[in-house]
C-alpha cells in the first residue's frame, strides 16, 4: 500500500540493472493511483545514491516541502501523489551522501559536510557491487593494489588503464552518440588521461609521504584514482539509460492506460535526469504520452542530448532528438557553475589527448553536461532561478534553463554543488513547471 510523505500519498518503485520493475510495487502503483483519484503524479529519480535508504531520504527531503509551498500559493495537494524511483546506482564511499544530515538550507542537510575518510583499498572494494562477477572482482583487486602501492613506473600506470578497460567492457552505443568519454579514458595515453584528472581536482594533501603529490608520479596516481571514479560514473550512466528506456518508459505507458487523465511529472537528479529523459524514448505509444512536464536537476548527461542537430556535426542529432515532443508541458533544467561533477570531471573524461589542447575551452563545451549550463542547441530560454513565489514563462514542449548559480553553490570537491538540490526555490520551480502553482 501507499505510504505518505507530508500527508501526500507516496509510492516506491524499484528497478534492477536491466530495467525490470519490482512486480509487487508496480502492481500496487497501477492499482492504487487510479483508485485514489490521483490526477498529478510526481515521479522523482535519484542519481548516484547507492541504496534505498539514501533514496528514501532524498524523496522525504524533496516531497516533504511540497504541501507547504502549495499552501503558500493558496493551492491544495488534493489529487497529488508522488513516486520515488529506486535503481541500482553507485556512490563512491569517500563522497558525502547527497542527503547527509546537518544544517543545510530549509531541508535539514549540509551538502558542504566533509567527505568521509576512506582508504583506497576500501574504496575499490566497495565498487564490487557495481561491477559484479568474479573476473571483475579480480580486476578490482589489482586496481586496489596498484592504488595502494602507487609505483613510480609508467608501465604500472599503463597497466592501471588497461584494467580500467577490462572493467568497463564494451562501450554503450547510445552513449557514443552523446560523448566519447569512455573510449578516451581507456584508449588515450595514460599519462595524458590521468594528468587531466589530476589537474581538475584540487590537491587535498592526500597520499603525502612515500608517493606524495609533489612528485610527478604522485600527481598521476591521484589522477588515476579520479579517472577510475569517472569510469564508475560511466557505468552508472549506461545503466540509467537502460532503466529509463526499458524500464520506466513502459511503466509510464501502463500508468497512462490505467488512469487516462493522469498527468505525470518526471523529475531526475544527476544520472536520474538521464533516466527520466530516456524514459521518453521507451514510451510504448508516443502519441499518447502521459508526461506533462520534465524537470532535470543538475543533469549528468550531454547538454546536446535533445538537440535536433549537433553544432559540431549538423548531420547528427543528440541521443534524444525529437523526444521533447513527448512532453505535454515544459522541459526545465537547473544548472550551476558550482557543479564540479558535470562542469569539470564529466567533460574532461570525454576529451581526447589527440585533440588540440589550445581548443580546450571549446572542447569542454562540446562534451559538457546539462547540469553545468543547461540544455543546448534546443532554442532554450535562460532565466535566473527565482525565489519562492516567482512566475516563469514556461511553454509546452520548450526548454527553460534555470541559472541556479546564486543558490546551488555549496559542496566541496570532487563533486562541488552537484547535490545541493534541496532548496525551496528549486522545488517551487518544479511545481510551477507542473502547473500546480502559477507559472
Amino acid at each position: 500500500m501507499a505510504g505518505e510523505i507530508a500527508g501526500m500519498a507516496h509510492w516506491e518503485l524499484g528497478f534492477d540493472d536491466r530495467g525490470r520493475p519490482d512486480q509487487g510495487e508496480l502492481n500496487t502503483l497501477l492499482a492504487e493511483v487510479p483508485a485514489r483519484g490521483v490526477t498529478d503524479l510526481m515521479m522523482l529519480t535519484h542519481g548516484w545514491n547507492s541504496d534505498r535508504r539514501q533514496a528514501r531520504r532524498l524523496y522525504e527531503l524533496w516531497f516533504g516541502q511540497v504541501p507547504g509551498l502549495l499552501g503558500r500559493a493558496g493551492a491544495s495537494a488534493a489529487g497529488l501523489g508522488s513516486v520515488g524511483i529506486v535503481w541500482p546506482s553507485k556512490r563512491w564511499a569517500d563522497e558525502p551522501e547527497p542527503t547527509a544530515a546537518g544544517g543545510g538550507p530549509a531541508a535539514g542537510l549540509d551538502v558542504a559536510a566533509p567527505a568521509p575518510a576512506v582508504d583506497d583499498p576500501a574504496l575499490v572494494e566497495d565498487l564490487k557491487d557495481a561491477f559484479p562477477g568474479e573476473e571483475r572482482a579480480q580486476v578490482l583487486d589489482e586496481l586496489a593494489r596498484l592504488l595502494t602501492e602507487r609505483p613510480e613506473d609508467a608501465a604500472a600506470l599503463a597497466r592501471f588503464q588497461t584494467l580500467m578497460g577490462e572493467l568497463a567492457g564494451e562501450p554503450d552505443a547510445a552513449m557514443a552518440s552523446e560523448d566519447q568519454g569512455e573510449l578516451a579514458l581507456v584508449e588515450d595515453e595514460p599519462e595524458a588521461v590521468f594528468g587531466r584528472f589530476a589537474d581538475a581536482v584540487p590537491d587535498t594533501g592526500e597520499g603525502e609521504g612515500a608517493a606524495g603529490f609533489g612528485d610527478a608520479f604522485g600527481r598521476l596516481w591521484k589522477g588515476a584514482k579520479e579517472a577510475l571514479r569517472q569510469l564508475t560514473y560511466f557505468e552508472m550512466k549506461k545503466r540509467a539509460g537502460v532503466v529509463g528506456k526499458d524500464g520506466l518508459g513502459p511503466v509510464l505507458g501502463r500508468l497512462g492506460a490505467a488512469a487516462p487523465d493522469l498527468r505525470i511529472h518526471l523529475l531526475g537528479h544527476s544520472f536520474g535526469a538521464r533516466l527520466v529523459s530516456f524514459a521518453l524514448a521507451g514510451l510504448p505509444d508516443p502519441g499518447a504520452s502521459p508526461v506533462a512536464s520534465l524537470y532535470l536537476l543538475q543533469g549528468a548527461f550531454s547538454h546536446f542530448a535533445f538537440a535536433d542537430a549537433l553544432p559540431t556535426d549538423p548531420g547528427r542529432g543528440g541521443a534524444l532528438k525529437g523526444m521533447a515532443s513527448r512532453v505535454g508541458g515544459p522541459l526545465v533544467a537547473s544548472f550551476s557553475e558550482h557543479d564540479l561533477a558535470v562542469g569539470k570531471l564529466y567533460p574532461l573524461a570525454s576529451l581526447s589527448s589527440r585533440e588540440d589542447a589550445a581548443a580546450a575551452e571549446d572542447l569542454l563545451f562540446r562534451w559538457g553536461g546539462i547540469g553545468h549550463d543547461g540544455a543546448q542547441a534546443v532554442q532554450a530560454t535562460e532565466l535566473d532561478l527565482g525565489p519562492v513565489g516567482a512566475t516563469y514563462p514556461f511553454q509546452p514542449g520548450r526548454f527553460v534553463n534555470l541559472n541556479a548559480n546564486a543558490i546551488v553553490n555549496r559542496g566541496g570537491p570532487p563533486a562541488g554543488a552537484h547535490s545541493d538540490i534541496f532548496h525551496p526555490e528549486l522545488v517551487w520551480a518544479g511545481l510551477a513547471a507542473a502547473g500546480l502553482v502559477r507559472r
Side-chain angles (χ1 to χ4, degrees):
M1 294 180 62
E4 285 191 355
I5 293 181
M8 293 190 308
H10 178 78
W11 294 267
E12 289 182 2
L13 180 58
F15 293 89
D16 67 14
D17 60 354
R18 297 173 62 181
R20 294 174 297 199
D22 181 296
Q23 285 300 319
E25 292 175 343
L26 176 58
N27 291 339
T28 297
L29 184 66
L30 292 172
E32 293 191 359
V33 165
R36 286 173 172 260
V38 174
T39 58
D40 288 86
L41 189 65
M42 300 179 293
M43 304 185 75
L44 175 57
T45 305
H46 63 82
W48 53 64
N49 296 327
S50 61
D51 59 30
R52 191 173 286 252
R53 175 188 63 81
Q54 293 165 356
R56 282 175 175 161
R57 179 65 175 150
L58 183 155
Y59 302 140
E60 290 167 356
L61 290 170
W62 183 274
F63 291 131
Q65 300 182 62
V66 168
L69 291 173
L70 290 174
R72 290 175 64 173
S76 169
L80 182 60
S82 63
V83 176
I85 302 297
V86 182
W87 60 287
S89 63
K90 184 64 186 176
R91 175 185 58 87
W92 269 48
D94 65 342
E95 295 178 10
E97 291 187 22
T99 56
L109 73 158
D110 182 7
V111 295
V118 184
D119 62 25
D120 291 338
L123 277 177
V124 179
E125 176 71 22
D126 191 56
L127 297 179
K128 288 183 177 178
D129 59 351
F131 297 96
E134 182 59 33
E135 290 186 4
R136 281 175 150 186
Q138 293 175 6
V139 169
L140 286 166
D141 287 341
E142 188 173 352
L143 285 166
R145 179 183 62 78
L146 287 170
L147 270 184
T148 302
E149 297 175 357
R150 304 195 176 202
E152 296 187 8
D153 180 7
L157 288 167
R159 175 60 181 165
F160 191 92
Q161 187 189 43
T162 297
L163 291 167
M164 285 173 51
E166 293 178 10
L167 195 64
E170 292 297 320
D172 179 79
M175 280 176 53
S177 67
E178 291 184 52
D179 60 53
Q180 64 179 34
E182 195 170 7
L183 290 175
L185 276 176
V186 299
E187 291 185 355
D188 283 1
E189 290 295 326
E191 292 186 19
V193 174
F194 300 155
R196 287 198 297 270
F197 280 95
D199 293 339
V201 179
D203 188 355
T204 60
E206 168 197 358
E208 295 287 346
F213 290 122
D215 63 89
F217 278 103
R219 169 180 170 273
L220 291 173
W221 281 113
K222 171 190 174 185
K225 175 180 174 179
E226 296 308 317
L228 178 60
R229 187 190 306 270
Q230 188 63 43
L231 188 75
T232 309
Y233 294 165
F234 275 124
E235 186 75 9
M236 296 305 102
K237 180 180 174 183
K238 285 189 282 188
R239 186 174 295 174
V242 170
V243 174
K245 185 176 180 179
D246 298 341
L248 182 58
V251 166
L252 297 177
R254 294 183 66 181
L255 277 168
D261 295 327
L262 181 67
R263 291 161 36 89
I264 296 177
H265 308 287
L266 297 178
L267 307 90
H269 170 234
S270 183
F271 288 144
R274 187 175 198 261
L275 192 157
V276 296
S277 296
F278 270 77
L280 299 173
L283 286 168
D285 183 2
S289 171
V291 180
S293 65
L294 179 71
Y295 191 16
L296 310 177
L297 295 158
Q298 301 309 119
F301 65 113
S302 172
H303 56 190
F304 293 127
F306 285 91
D308 287 335
L310 299 177
T312 56
D313 187 359
R316 295 173 54 233
L320 295 172
K321 175 183 177 180
M323 293 300 113
S325 65
R326 301 184 179 188
V327 180
L331 301 90
V332 183
S334 74
F335 71 92
S336 172
E337 65 184 6
H338 306 291
D339 185 337
L340 303 182
V342 293
K344 278 192 174 181
L345 296 182
Y346 178 91
L348 276 173
S350 299
L351 293 179
S352 168
S353 62
R354 295 183 290 273
E355 298 184 277
D356 184 1
E361 186 171 340
D362 289 339
L363 292 171
L364 285 172
F365 176 70
R366 176 179 179 180
W367 305 117
I370 201 167
H372 179 66
D373 55 5
Q376 299 295 314
V378 291
Q379 297 183 320
T381 298
E382 181 175 324
L383 301 170
D384 287 340
L385 177 63
V388 171
T391 59
Y392 296 97
F394 294 137
Q395 299 178 47
R398 298 292 301 273
F399 259 103
V400 171
N401 294 328
L402 293 179
N403 184 329
N405 289 342
I407 295 173
V408 178
N409 55 25
R410 302 178 68 228
H418 186 62
S419 292
D420 186 19
I421 62 168
F422 300 98
H423 296 274
E425 296 90 342
L426 285 171
V427 180
W428 174 269
L431 295 175
L436 299 173
V437 296
R438 66 184 185 277
R439 293 178 177 174

